[in-house]
Amino acid sequence: MWRGMRSVRGRAYNAGVALSVALSSPAHAQNDKMAPIPIPAQPTAIELGTGPLPGATASEAWHSQYGSVFARNVTVATLTPFLPDPAKATGAAVIVAPGGGFRTLSMENEGWDVAKALAAKGVAAFVIKYRLNQTPADMAAFERASGPRPPSGGARQARPSPSEMMANLGPQIADARAAFALIRRRANEWRVDPDRIGMVGFSAGAMLTMATTLAGQDAKPAFIGNIYGPVAPVSVPADAPPLFVALAADDPLFTDSGFGLVEAWKSAKRPVEFHLYEQGGHGFGMYQKTTTSTGWFDAFARWLDMHGLLKPKG
């Protein structure tokens, strides 16, 4: 399916994510300044064994922004478990993939906070800190590189297709495959059903979720969530897992070219649920906003429940 794809960098996507998150995050005028912070202690993080990012020269660094925390220059992938109370554990599990244009990872808003909410529902959650494209080590240089870039000649730049963007995700797909393999190896210890491991991703993390589903070989997610990720059409395999999609109609990245992903899943007669919120922008995640997009997690939890994932396997 992916053979012969043209390898390109997602330049338009990377720049667009940085801009759109700045425009859509709450109180961005007050706290949009990037401030370096020490790397937080992550005592339960487990290295995935996929090795250091080839050719990396900049070391992992973290910063705060929008009242949340972000990682960048991740060169070694990890997985952090958030396990439910054993009395509430359903046996279902979800790998949570934060977004950030493959340049940063929104570890709190699209990672830890999501995992904690899932664990409260009895679902074992695992935040994947996947390897990222290198960015300037200096914060000021990174901030300048992340600013809005006007299109050349005043014309809008064409965004690479999902296939083109996914073609460059070898390290990230390897990280996701390793995450699925690790959870299945330790399924008994973590009270997880190996056949009920899904994945939910945000923006770039949603792209990784789709790439893992379509090109991840042995990963085989049992169900997937695409939260404000690409919705262009793809070739849907006959055994495609149930898909949940949430997107805001005013998302500046992914609402201008139709909803072919949803239509493709439906045409393939595979389960799909789609929530298009009137407002919310891009990057709403677990931020509490006045828009109805804030309700995406409740809708996702109800969808999981409908598929029998919020109760032990009968």
Side-chain angles (χ1 to χ4, degrees), residues 20-21 23-25 228 246-253 255 277-285 289 291 293:
S20 63
V21 171
L23 293 176
S24 64
S25 297
Y228 45 82
L247 185 68
D250 60 351
D251 187 306
L253 289 181
T255 56
Y277 297 102
E278 179 184 338
Q279 297 177 39
H282 190 82
F284 47 83
K289 303 180 72 172
T291 59
S293 60

Side-chain angles (χ1 to χ4, degrees), residues 100-292:
F102 300 106
R103 292 160 53 87
T104 67
L105 289 176
S106 180
M107 293 298 296
E108 190 170 11
N109 179 49
E110 297 172 352
W112 302 332
D113 289 349
V114 178
K116 290 172 185 175
L118 286 165
K121 298 285 186 183
V123 177
F126 300 85
V127 177
I128 183 170
K129 186 174 72 175
Y130 51 89
R131 291 171 290 174
L132 297 173
N133 295 337
Q134 292 268 281
T135 60
D138 177 70
M139 174 60 73
F142 170 67
E143 215 167 358
R144 288 192 299 271
S146 300
R149 299 169 186 167
S152 58
R156 182 172 183 170
Q157 291 177 326
R159 187 178 301 125
S161 71
S163 295
E164 289 173 329
M165 288 188 283
M166 288 183 193
N168 255 2
L169 300 185
Q172 293 81 14
I173 293 173
D175 295 342
R177 290 178 62 194
F180 275 94
L182 175 62
I183 297 169
R184 288 183 176 126
R185 281 198 308 271
R186 299 180 64 172
N188 287 340
E189 173 189 350
W190 288 331
R191 299 173 184 266
V192 166
D193 181 343
D195 296 325
R196 295 204 296 165
I197 306 171
M199 187 171 183
V200 61
F202 301 78
S203 192
M207 185 183 300
L208 177 56
T209 297
M210 299 309 303
T212 302
T213 302
L214 300 173
Q217 300 176 34
D218 53 352
K220 296 190 179 303
F223 55 92
I224 53 175
N226 177 331
I227 314 302
Y228 45 82
V231 287
V234 298
S235 297
V236 181
D239 61 349
L243 167 65
F244 179 95
V245 178
L247 185 68
D250 60 351
D251 187 306
L253 289 181
F254 297 126
T255 56
D256 59 355
S257 56
F259 309 106
L261 176 69
V262 176
E263 294 163 359
W265 233 258
K266 189 172 182 295
S267 296
K269 296 182 168 43
R270 300 307 298 152
V272 59
E273 180 155 333
F274 179 33
H275 294 258
L276 181 65
Y277 297 102
E278 179 184 338
Q279 297 177 39
H282 190 82
F284 47 83
M286 298 297 280
Y287 290 126
Q288 294 302 300
K289 303 180 72 172
T290 58
T291 59
T292 54

Side-chain angles (χ1 to χ4, degrees), residues 63-91:
H63 63 273
S64 63
Q65 191 179 22
Y66 316 126
S68 191
V69 299
F70 298 77
R72 63 189 183 92
N73 290 330
V74 174
T75 60
V76 175
T78 67
L79 193 70
T80 300
F82 288 77
L83 302 178
D85 181 334
K88 294 180 61 175
T90 71

